[in-house]
Amino acid sequence: MEPLRIAVAGLGRMGRRHVQNIIHRVPRASVVAVCSTDLHELEQARSSPEYAEFGVTVYDSYDAMLAHPGLQAVWISTSTDVHASQTLAAIAAGLHVLCEKPLSTNMDEIDKVVEAAKANPHLKVMAGFSRRFDASYRDAAAKVLDQNTIGEPFIVRSNTCDLLDQTGFFVRYAPRNGGIFVDCAIHDIDLSLWYLSDPVPKACWATGTLRHHPELAAAGDVDNAVGVVEFHGGKIAYFYCSRTQAHGHDVCTEVTGTEGKVSVNVWPRANHVVVADGSGIRNEVQPEYWQRFEDAFALEANEFAEAVLRDGPVPLPIEKGVRVMEIGRALQDALRTGEVQRFDEGGKRL
Amino acid sequence: MEPLRIAVAGLGRMGRRHVQNIIHRVPRASVVAVCSTDLHELEQARSSPEYAEFGVTVYDSYDAMLAHPGLQAVWISTSTDVHASQTLAAIAAGLHVLCEKPLSTNMDEIDKVVEAAKANPHLKVMAGFSRRFDASYRDAAAKVLDQNTIGEPFIVRSNTCDLLDQTGFFVRYAPRNGGIFVDCAIHDIDLSLWYLSDPVPKACWATGTLRHHPELAAAGDVDNAVGVVEFHGGKIAYFYCSRTQAHGHDVCTEVTGTEGKVSVNVWPRANHVVVADGSGIRNEVQPEYWQRFEDAFALEANEFAEAVLRDGPVPLPIEKGVRVMEIGRALQDALRTGEVQRFDEGGKRL
Amino acid sequence: MEPLRIAVAGLGRMGRRHVQNIIHRVPRASVVAVCSTDLHELEQARSSPEYAEFGVTVYDSYDAMLAHPGLQAVWISTSTDVHASQTLAAIAAGLHVLCEKPLSTNMDEIDKVVEAAKANPHLKVMAGFSRRFDASYRDAAAKVLDQNTIGEPFIVRSNTCDLLDQTGFFVRYAPRNGGIFVDCAIHDIDLSLWYLSDPVPKACWATGTLRHHPELAAAGDVDNAVGVVEFHGGKIAYFYCSRTQAHGHDVCTEVTGTEGKVSVNVWPRANHVVVADGSGIRNEVQPEYWQRFEDAFALEANEFAEAVLRDGPVPLPIEKGVRVMEIGRALQDALRTGEVQRFDEGGKRL
Amino acid sequence: MEPLRIAVAGLGRMGRRHVQNIIHRVPRASVVAVCSTDLHELEQARSSPEYAEFGVTVYDSYDAMLAHPGLQAVWISTSTDVHASQTLAAIAAGLHVLCEKPLSTNMDEIDKVVEAAKANPHLKVMAGFSRRFDASYRDAAAKVLDQNTIGEPFIVRSNTCDLLDQTGFFVRYAPRNGGIFVDCAIHDIDLSLWYLSDPVPKACWATGTLRHHPELAAAGDVDNAVGVVEFHGGKIAYFYCSRTQAHGHDVCTEVTGTEGKVSVNVWPRANHVVVADGSGIRNEVQPEYWQRFEDAFALEANEFAEAVLRDGPVPLPIEKGVRVMEIGRALQDALRTGEVQRFDEGGKRL
């Protein structure tokens, strides 16, 4: 069987890592092309001995990359504002697509992509919610949803807390990200829908504060926020997102049910090492999502490649992202306005 | 020095334990009297060899107990609905008082007690927020407030989650307790005010669900609830309270600051024992607040006795409970109505 | 019932704490007298308002203290070299005795005390192995010995590791303590006999090293040592003792059985507080045995008082310490000589 | 660059996993051939679609496999008794070799392989101590050896404890493995040499017991053993190995230094999931070494491939295994005889 010929759009921190992951951990796929519009990223890519060794062609235009001979699939890892248009272009070019979260911060754009995907059922169009591929989150899902370990699950608490970025990188990118609940809590919202079996939102409220990044005020955003979602049927999810943690990338989830609780990563650890010294007993914490989720990204890439090569269903169809984004937007609106945002019984915003 | 002659009102689970604690761990106090109106409790007390040994007189009326010869102080451990009136009666009788939380679910009653206490400055009138006497919460306070371990604290997460009570005891008592945020989250609210240096509330919202105790619906209450409080000045507290935990009494608090995070009891443990067997590696969890806070109750009693005997200030003047209860009531109202409850810049409900 | 009139011999760190513990946590006992031969300790005791308040008479001679009117019992908390003679004198004076571990480093002296205790069955003569009164060690015993949680226990690992003492106190006291296995591992040996149901030793070996306290070399002692004991019947205990830990008082025990493992305090924690900051996630560790075992000492004192007052058996008869010391001495000999020390099937040294 | 053409000898549990690992996680190597003498394993390999897809030729003879056209390197994953002869044959055939631990249980054989490797410096001959490639053990090494986190390291405690095998597989294989200290503690011995900077052994002693696998008695072996090694210069290592754990594969290491302690995996966890229910709070444990060390095996394979392709030094030259095996043999002798085994100052057995 020939490996899947895949192109990666975007060579930022994430895009570069996906290229590495596909080369090193996805034997059934080959990265045949990459693209970027950033001169520094292009320079790096063109001078990479590894890209040369593994036959990766570097493009400075997304459209040019789509025309790469024999290309079968695209992994979109650019900034959020072009996710939807690039996904549509890939579909139009007859290519399979895996698009990073979030698909868009604009609900109309999201609808268009979902329609295009439906109109092209022969193409695999997948949403990139990487935590769904993490071994621990999957084990939690098996316990909660299959093994009935905790009775009926009804509350999810989930955090995405990033290490404080002192390089300025985060602040530069922030204006395009749609706000803290859309950019940062999106995985947590997705997890709550997963573990609570796709409940329908009823109301939500949020509040936040600015502690380290005053530049975010201009966009009405915050660097720390708490939000609560009430679902129809008596289920609840609540989230804490932060851009300003001192100790590392701290991402945890707790699912409470009628008979118990399952949690993931409530005590984050970089590895198995513990140090005891004059300051007590301590472990280090992974600095970024990548150290925590590298394996998940590899599995995601393998499952996408398998789905395409064997013409099976993708693990996360693109429409899975729609409700996630509706809730993220509502939380962001609640944060901005201070008002409760409500949904009808069908989950439609009121 | 003669030990302080103290009476304990109420011989329910808590009252009995306070009697034990004062006998066994407060050398500067003697329990000279107790009272109850419950026939079973009276019977138990009257036949107790220990009460006889340590000279505890048993009364069937609170007023009769107040007239016990030489009595100096009262520890009020009855049900919430009589806390305020009993405190007022004790003050009127010229006695020092330690009243269990909450002082009342009625703000007017609270005001009357606070006024009576102010009018009798020679009497020690103390609020019984036991967690303020716990070694771990005090260590956290030292780190957060004195040692600047986490920079400026701005978010508190705090849980009070009780083991599911399958005896029916909790449900019988529930109608008098004022609701889950007033009865259960009151300590968490108090902790948030402590660690955030008495911030002024701005808005709050809450939601809840009924999973095990449908009887609570009649009183508009729930058995699991999440609430968020926004304070003026960009501070936030959020709470989860539950009556239905499977694993034990799970009470934790996290304080996030600009430079770090301090948490208390995020992983609850009954003791230092760990078992490894076919089900993995596990520890047990304390079943009730008593196992977690027995030492705190002993310290509270000792500090109260010292304050009276040495005529010093009590560690927690009764008025400390006012704002706590205002926030508890607002969360309960938010839970009931689904609407955001707001406060002005002085902390007055709008 | 009148409280037990007890005297405490020795006012070093430990003796003073026992006095406190009996005053504050043993309502059925009164400290009526103390003694010391140290001028500084005597000065402190004579000027203590608390000793005055609770009626504690201070003696500068053990014999004078034994003649205190109405005295019923003695708690011996002096240095090891006088434990045995003081215990014999108390028995001769018709007093009940609780003697701190170890009874003696001399096996002949130990035998004499055991004989004296046997000859005076009306007197309670108790060995002070405090860990037997710790809630966690008792829970472990319940699991291992009563509840069959781990099948048949056959290996015990146990550590006693002290925080490095930089004050010189430890080194000054060391020459009288009998060596690291006698002074430090004695509790671990006792625990191994408890959890393995009094097995008979067959052979042992040990090795050690000197890292911080070169002064110990003169007495043939070390500041870190590892020892292994093989018991008849295929059971094993192994120990690590240290005087030089950087992080605190680290005392743990693991019991491995045919169906599982129970451990106590493998991850030591000062309290329930955890700090997350730039150095990772950490907890502090208790600095001394007292913070770890204060509750155990209180329970020990209460159980001793109850045994005397109610004329019941003491929880740990003095002869329980004999085999413990035989094994401690053998390990110390192995450490000194480098040779395996062997016992016959009756546990007699070969 | 062409990928390294590698063959894997042995298709038992370990061999099959190495094939998977090389296919999936080593882009610079290709498995071109495998061999086995087990009919069932051959049948499985010949019918594997994946082996077909990735071009793996299946041989029923090691010698035939060595003659595979274009073969460059061999990964030896057969049973211990043929490791040395197969390594010699591969060297004789001019092939690079990675040989699983232990190279042999016979010191003469080991010497012959080391000599052959020295005589063929153009060939990479590597010892397969997989823990040296584990991220946590490497982090511990960085802290202990490079960053001086714990001052001077002087004691290593290290365990290798396997889940009880109830399939009979382990017992069938046991007679060829050289005994528990040679087969099971070999990694722990290697780690102690690493963290203590290649100390020279002075004396060792060991004891053990048979609890679940009476069949081992015939070979003079046990299923649980404790051993202590004293090194010249006042360093100590001690080991616990077990074949009979109830909770999983429990492998941990602690390095104590003059200023602190670094530990690896003292609390083993299968993943980041924790369950709280009526039995307390628990995590599962990885069942086998593979779940714990899969990443380490992938890194080992990648580093071996890189060393060959770029003609650099291998991370673990074959002679690194000599002292490890000398100590393992001495511990096994101590276990068998009950006598202390001693070494001279050059590390030569006395």
Side-chain angles (χ1 to χ4, degrees):
Chain A
M1 184 161 39
E2 281 289 290
L4 178 70
R5 292 178 300 277
I6 197 165
V8 173
L11 290 172
R13 282 190 308 180
M14 195 118 169
R16 284 201 301 277
R17 283 161 168 171
H18 288 310
V19 172
Q20 291 296 312
N21 231 349
I22 298 171
I23 288 175
H24 287 269
R25 300 185 65 172
V26 189
R28 290 194 175 84
S30 292
V31 181
V32 296
V34 295
C35 75
S36 172
T37 56
D38 179 285
L39 291 183
H40 180 64
E41 290 170 12
L42 284 169
E43 169 67 24
Q44 273 197 314
R46 283 174 177 144
S47 61
S48 157
E50 195 170 46
Y51 283 26
E53 176 187 350
F54 288 98
V56 181
T57 305
V58 181
Y59 291 91
D60 60 7
S61 129
Y62 179 73
D63 290 336
M65 185 184 79
L66 289 192
H68 185 88
L71 184 67
Q72 294 171 283
V74 182
W75 188 303
I76 296 175
S77 188
T78 45
S79 64
T80 299
D81 51 346
V82 295
H83 282 179
S85 59
Q86 290 185 342
T87 302
L88 288 170
I91 293 172
L95 298 168
H96 307 284
V97 192
L98 190 161
C99 182
E100 290 292 323
K101 68 86 200 166
L103 184 46
S104 170
T105 60
N106 177 306
M107 296 308 303
D108 289 341
E109 275 199 343
I110 290 175
D111 290 345
K112 273 185 208 155
V113 174
V114 171
E115 278 163 37
K118 280 195 186 150
N120 291 276
H122 61 294
L123 296 181
K124 311 297 173 190
V125 185
M126 178 167 151
F129 287 109
S130 48
R131 291 189 202 166
R132 296 252 189 169
F133 301 88
D134 175 66
S136 293
Y137 283 111
R138 287 198 167 181
D139 184 20
K143 288 180 164 58
V144 169
L145 301 174
D146 305 336
Q147 299 159 18
N148 197 32
T149 302
I150 61 167
E152 188 188 353
F154 64 94
I155 296 191
V156 168
R157 174 172 83 89
S158 197
N159 287 5
T160 297
C161 296
D162 290 327
L163 183 63
L164 179 66
D165 173 29
Q166 297 179 311
T167 66
F169 175 87
F170 162 68
V171 165
R172 278 196 302 280
Y173 172 75
R176 286 188 279 177
N177 73 21
I180 194 164
F181 282 111
V182 165
D183 182 60
C184 191
I186 195 101
H187 290 296
D188 303 295
I189 298 168
D190 177 53
L191 291 172
S192 73
L193 298 182
W194 189 16
Y195 293 130
L196 298 176
S197 300
D198 293 314
V200 178
K202 183 178 175 189
C204 68
W205 193 64
T207 184
T209 186
L210 261 179
R211 291 284 154 176
H212 281 273
H213 296 306
E215 302 89 336
L216 300 181
D221 204 9
V222 297
D223 55 19
N224 280 264
V226 173
V228 183
V229 181
E230 180 188 359
F231 295 101
H232 290 284
K235 295 181 179 177
I236 300 168
Y238 63 112
F239 309 113
Y240 169 45
C241 347
S242 170
R243 309 293 195 178
T244 69
Q245 297 293 298
H247 60 291
H249 183 68
D250 189 339
V251 166
C252 70
T253 302
E254 276 184 344
V255 187
T256 298
T258 49
E259 313 288 339
K261 183 168 75 165
V262 163
S263 63
V264 178
N265 204 37
V266 164
W267 185 308
R269 297 171 178 88
N271 55 29
H272 301 285
V273 174
V274 168
V275 175
D277 61 17
S279 71
I281 300 186
R282 72 173 185 274
N283 65 271
E284 295 174 359
V285 177
Q286 54 273 30
E288 290 183 33
Y289 70 94
W290 189 258
Q291 292 83 11
R292 172 68 185 84
F293 293 111
E294 179 176 356
D295 287 347
F297 286 116
L299 185 59
E300 183 181 21
N302 275 289
E303 293 197 2
F304 176 64
E306 292 288 319
V308 173
L309 289 172
R310 305 197 189 284
D311 195 16
V314 290
L316 272 173
I318 197 75
E319 60 268 26
K320 270 285 182 187
V322 177
R323 172 135 299 159
V324 180
M325 183 51 60
E326 285 168 347
I327 295 173
R329 290 288 304 274
L331 283 165
Q332 199 72 24
D333 291 345
L335 173 69
R336 197 173 35 80
T337 63
E339 302 293 340
V340 179
Q341 307 296 310
R342 301 188 196 274
F343 301 78
D344 69 16
E345 302 230 335
K348 201 174 149 71
R349 275 288 280 283
L350 295 175
Chain B
M1 184 161 40
E2 282 289 289
L4 179 70
R5 292 179 298 278
I6 196 165
V8 173
L11 291 171
R13 282 190 307 180
M14 197 118 168
R16 284 201 301 277
R17 284 162 168 170
H18 288 309
V19 173
Q20 291 296 312
N21 231 350
I22 297 170
I23 289 176
H24 286 269
R25 301 186 64 172
V26 189
R28 291 195 174 83
S30 293
V31 181
V32 297
V34 296
C35 74
S36 172
T37 56
D38 180 284
L39 292 182
H40 180 64
E41 289 171 12
L42 285 168
E43 169 68 23
Q44 275 196 313
R46 285 176 174 141
S47 61
S48 158
E50 196 170 44
Y51 284 24
E53 175 187 350
F54 288 98
V56 180
T57 305
V58 180
Y59 290 91
D60 62 4
S61 130
Y62 179 73
D63 290 336
M65 186 184 77
L66 289 192
H68 185 87
L71 184 66
Q72 295 172 282
V74 183
W75 187 303
I76 296 174
S77 188
T78 45
S79 65
T80 298
D81 51 348
V82 296
H83 282 179
S85 60
Q86 291 185 342
T87 302
L88 289 170
I91 293 172
L95 298 167
H96 308 283
V97 193
L98 190 160
C99 181
E100 290 292 322
K101 68 84 199 169
L103 183 47
S104 170
T105 62
N106 176 308
M107 296 309 300
D108 289 340
E109 276 199 341
I110 290 175
D111 290 345
K112 273 185 207 152
V113 174
V114 170
E115 279 163 35
K118 280 192 186 153
N120 292 275
H122 60 295
L123 297 180
K124 311 297 173 191
V125 185
M126 175 165 152
F129 287 111
S130 47
R131 291 188 203 167
R132 294 252 190 170
F133 301 88
D134 175 66
S136 293
Y137 284 112
R138 287 197 168 181
D139 183 20
K143 287 180 162 59
V144 169
L145 301 174
D146 304 336
Q147 299 159 20
N148 197 31
T149 302
I150 61 167
E152 188 188 353
F154 64 95
I155 295 191
V156 168
R157 175 173 82 89
S158 197
N159 286 3
T160 296
C161 296
D162 291 327
L163 183 63
L164 179 66
D165 173 29
Q166 296 179 313
T167 67
F169 175 88
F170 162 68
V171 165
R172 277 196 303 280
Y173 172 76
R176 288 188 278 177
N177 73 20
I180 195 164
F181 282 111
V182 165
D183 182 62
C184 192
I186 195 100
H187 289 295
D188 303 295
I189 298 169
D190 177 53
L191 291 172
S192 73
L193 298 183
W194 189 17
Y195 293 129
L196 298 176
S197 301
D198 294 314
V200 178
K202 182 178 176 190
C204 67
W205 192 65
T207 183
T209 185
L210 261 179
R211 290 286 154 175
H212 280 274
H213 296 306
E215 302 90 336
L216 300 181
D221 204 9
V222 298
D223 55 19
N224 280 266
V226 173
V228 182
V229 181
E230 180 187 1
F231 296 100
H232 289 286
K235 295 181 179 177
I236 299 168
Y238 62 112
F239 310 112
Y240 169 46
C241 347
S242 171
R243 310 293 196 178
T244 69
Q245 296 294 298
H247 60 292
H249 183 68
D250 190 340
V251 166
C252 70
T253 301
E254 275 184 344
V255 187
T256 298
T258 49
E259 312 289 339
K261 184 168 72 165
V262 163
S263 63
V264 178
N265 204 37
V266 164
W267 184 308
R269 297 173 178 86
N271 53 30
H272 300 285
V273 174
V274 168
V275 175
D277 61 15
S279 71
I281 300 185
R282 72 174 186 274
N283 65 273
E284 295 173 1
V285 177
Q286 54 273 32
E288 290 183 33
Y289 69 94
W290 190 257
Q291 292 81 12
R292 174 67 185 84
F293 293 111
E294 179 177 357
D295 288 347
F297 285 116
L299 185 60
E300 184 181 20
N302 275 289
E303 292 197 1
F304 176 64
E306 293 288 319
V308 174
L309 290 172
R310 305 195 189 284
D311 195 17
V314 291
L316 270 173
I318 197 75
E319 60 268 26
K320 270 285 182 187
V322 178
R323 172 136 298 160
V324 179
M325 183 51 61
E326 285 169 346
I327 295 173
R329 290 288 305 273
L331 283 165
Q332 199 72 25
D333 290 345
L335 172 70
R336 196 173 36 80
T337 64
E339 301 294 338
V340 179
Q341 306 297 310
R342 302 188 196 272
F343 301 78
D344 69 15
E345 301 228 337
K348 202 176 147 72
R349 275 287 281 282
L350 296 174
Chain C
M1 182 161 38
E2 282 289 291
L4 179 69
R5 291 179 299 277
I6 197 165
V8 173
L11 291 172
R13 282 190 308 179
M14 196 119 169
R16 284 200 303 276
R17 283 161 168 171
H18 288 311
V19 173
Q20 291 296 312
N21 232 349
I22 297 171
I23 288 176
H24 286 270
R25 302 186 63 171
V26 190
R28 292 195 173 84
S30 292
V31 181
V32 296
V34 296
C35 74
S36 173
T37 55
D38 179 283
L39 292 183
H40 179 65
E41 289 171 11
L42 285 168
E43 168 68 24
Q44 273 196 314
R46 285 176 176 144
S47 60
S48 158
E50 196 170 46
Y51 283 26
E53 176 187 349
F54 288 98
V56 179
T57 304
V58 180
Y59 291 91
D60 61 6
S61 128
Y62 179 73
D63 290 337
M65 186 183 77
L66 288 192
H68 185 88
L71 184 66
Q72 295 173 282
V74 183
W75 187 304
I76 296 174
S77 188
T78 45
S79 65
T80 298
D81 51 348
V82 296
H83 282 179
S85 59
Q86 291 186 341
T87 301
L88 289 170
I91 292 173
L95 298 167
H96 308 283
V97 192
L98 191 161
C99 182
E100 290 292 322
K101 68 87 199 164
L103 184 46
S104 170
T105 60
N106 177 307
M107 295 311 299
D108 289 340
E109 275 199 342
I110 290 175
D111 290 345
K112 274 185 206 151
V113 175
V114 170
E115 279 162 34
K118 279 194 186 150
N120 291 275
H122 61 296
L123 296 180
K124 311 296 172 191
V125 186
M126 178 166 151
F129 287 109
S130 49
R131 289 188 204 168
R132 295 253 189 169
F133 301 88
D134 174 66
S136 293
Y137 283 111
R138 286 198 168 181
D139 184 20
K143 286 179 164 58
V144 169
L145 301 173
D146 304 336
Q147 299 159 20
N148 198 31
T149 302
I150 60 166
E152 188 187 355
F154 65 94
I155 296 190
V156 168
R157 174 173 83 89
S158 198
N159 287 4
T160 295
C161 296
D162 290 327
L163 183 64
L164 179 66
D165 173 29
Q166 297 178 312
T167 67
F169 176 88
F170 162 69
V171 165
R172 278 195 302 278
Y173 172 77
R176 286 188 279 176
N177 73 20
I180 195 164
F181 283 111
V182 166
D183 181 60
C184 190
I186 194 102
H187 289 295
D188 303 295
I189 298 168
D190 177 53
L191 290 172
S192 74
L193 298 182
W194 189 17
Y195 293 129
L196 298 176
S197 300
D198 294 313
V200 178
K202 183 177 175 190
C204 68
W205 193 66
T207 184
T209 185
L210 260 179
R211 290 285 154 174
H212 282 272
H213 296 305
E215 303 89 336
L216 301 181
D221 204 9
V222 297
D223 55 19
N224 280 265
V226 173
V228 183
V229 181
E230 179 187 1
F231 296 101
H232 289 286
K235 295 181 179 178
I236 300 167
Y238 62 112
F239 309 113
Y240 170 45
C241 347
S242 170
R243 309 294 196 176
T244 68
Q245 297 293 300
H247 61 291
H249 183 67
D250 190 340
V251 166
C252 70
T253 301
E254 276 184 344
V255 187
T256 297
T258 49
E259 313 288 338
K261 182 168 73 165
V262 163
S263 62
V264 178
N265 203 39
V266 164
W267 185 306
R269 296 172 179 89
N271 54 29
H272 300 285
V273 175
V274 169
V275 175
D277 61 16
S279 71
I281 300 186
R282 72 174 186 274
N283 65 272
E284 296 174 359
V285 176
Q286 54 272 31
E288 289 183 32
Y289 70 94
W290 190 257
Q291 292 82 10
R292 173 69 185 85
F293 292 111
E294 179 177 356
D295 287 346
F297 285 115
L299 184 60
E300 183 181 21
N302 275 288
E303 293 197 0
F304 176 63
E306 293 288 318
V308 174
L309 290 172
R310 305 196 188 284
D311 194 16
V314 292
L316 271 173
I318 197 74
E319 61 267 27
K320 270 286 181 185
V322 178
R323 173 136 299 159
V324 180
M325 183 51 60
E326 286 169 346
I327 295 173
R329 290 288 304 274
L331 283 166
Q332 199 72 23
D333 290 345
L335 173 69
R336 196 172 37 80
T337 63
E339 301 293 340
V340 178
Q341 306 297 309
R342 302 187 196 272
F343 302 77
D344 69 15
E345 302 229 336
K348 203 176 148 70
R349 277 286 282 281
L350 296 174
Chain D
M1 183 162 42
E2 281 289 289
L4 178 70
R5 290 179 301 276
I6 196 165
V8 174
L11 291 172
R13 283 191 307 180
M14 196 117 169
R16 285 200 300 276
R17 284 161 167 172
H18 288 311
V19 173
Q20 291 297 313
N21 232 349
I22 298 170
I23 289 176
H24 287 269
R25 301 186 63 171
V26 190
R28 291 194 174 84
S30 293
V31 180
V32 296
V34 295
C35 73
S36 172
T37 56
D38 179 284
L39 290 183
H40 180 64
E41 289 171 12
L42 284 168
E43 169 67 25
Q44 274 195 314
R46 283 173 177 145
S47 61
S48 158
E50 195 170 47
Y51 284 26
E53 176 187 349
F54 288 97
V56 180
T57 304
V58 180
Y59 291 91
D60 60 6
S61 128
Y62 179 74
D63 291 336
M65 187 183 77
L66 289 192
H68 184 89
L71 185 66
Q72 296 172 280
V74 183
W75 187 303
I76 296 175
S77 187
T78 45
S79 64
T80 298
D81 51 346
V82 296
H83 282 179
S85 59
Q86 291 186 341
T87 302
L88 289 169
I91 292 172
L95 298 168
H96 307 284
V97 193
L98 190 160
C99 182
E100 290 293 323
K101 67 85 199 168
L103 183 46
S104 170
T105 60
N106 177 307
M107 296 311 299
D108 289 341
E109 276 199 341
I110 290 175
D111 290 345
K112 273 185 206 152
V113 175
V114 171
E115 280 163 33
K118 280 194 186 151
N120 291 275
H122 61 294
L123 296 180
K124 311 296 173 191
V125 186
M126 176 167 154
F129 288 110
S130 48
R131 290 188 203 169
R132 296 252 189 169
F133 301 88
D134 174 66
S136 293
Y137 283 111
R138 286 197 167 181
D139 184 20
K143 287 180 164 58
V144 168
L145 301 174
D146 304 336
Q147 300 160 19
N148 198 32
T149 303
I150 60 167
E152 188 188 353
F154 64 94
I155 295 192
V156 168
R157 175 173 82 89
S158 197
N159 287 4
T160 296
C161 296
D162 289 328
L163 183 64
L164 179 65
D165 173 29
Q166 297 179 313
T167 66
F169 176 87
F170 162 68
V171 166
R172 277 195 302 279
Y173 172 76
R176 286 187 279 176
N177 72 21
I180 194 164
F181 283 111
V182 165
D183 182 60
C184 191
I186 194 102
H187 290 295
D188 303 295
I189 298 168
D190 177 53
L191 291 172
S192 73
L193 298 182
W194 190 16
Y195 293 130
L196 298 176
S197 301
D198 293 315
V200 178
K202 182 178 177 189
C204 67
W205 193 65
T207 184
T209 185
L210 259 179
R211 290 285 155 175
H212 281 273
H213 296 305
E215 302 90 335
L216 300 181
D221 204 8
V222 297
D223 55 20
N224 280 265
V226 173
V228 182
V229 181
E230 180 187 0
F231 295 100
H232 289 285
K235 296 182 179 177
I236 300 168
Y238 63 112
F239 309 113
Y240 169 45
C241 348
S242 171
R243 309 294 196 177
T244 69
Q245 297 294 298
H247 60 291
H249 183 69
D250 190 340
V251 167
C252 69
T253 301
E254 276 184 342
V255 187
T256 297
T258 49
E259 313 288 339
K261 183 169 73 166
V262 162
S263 63
V264 177
N265 203 36
V266 164
W267 185 307
R269 297 171 178 88
N271 55 29
H272 300 284
V273 175
V274 168
V275 175
D277 61 16
S279 71
I281 300 186
R282 73 174 186 274
N283 64 271
E284 295 174 0
V285 177
Q286 54 273 31
E288 288 183 33
Y289 70 95
W290 190 256
Q291 292 82 12
R292 173 68 184 84
F293 293 110
E294 179 177 356
D295 287 347
F297 286 116
L299 184 60
E300 184 181 19
N302 275 288
E303 292 197 0
F304 177 64
E306 293 287 319
V308 174
L309 290 172
R310 305 196 188 285
D311 195 16
V314 291
L316 272 172
I318 198 74
E319 60 268 27
K320 271 285 180 186
V322 178
R323 173 135 299 159
V324 180
M325 183 52 61
E326 285 168 346
I327 295 174
R329 291 289 305 274
L331 283 166
Q332 199 72 26
D333 290 346
L335 172 71
R336 196 172 38 79
T337 63
E339 302 293 341
V340 178
Q341 307 296 310
R342 303 187 195 272
F343 302 77
D344 69 16
E345 302 229 336
K348 203 176 147 71
R349 275 285 282 283
L350 296 173

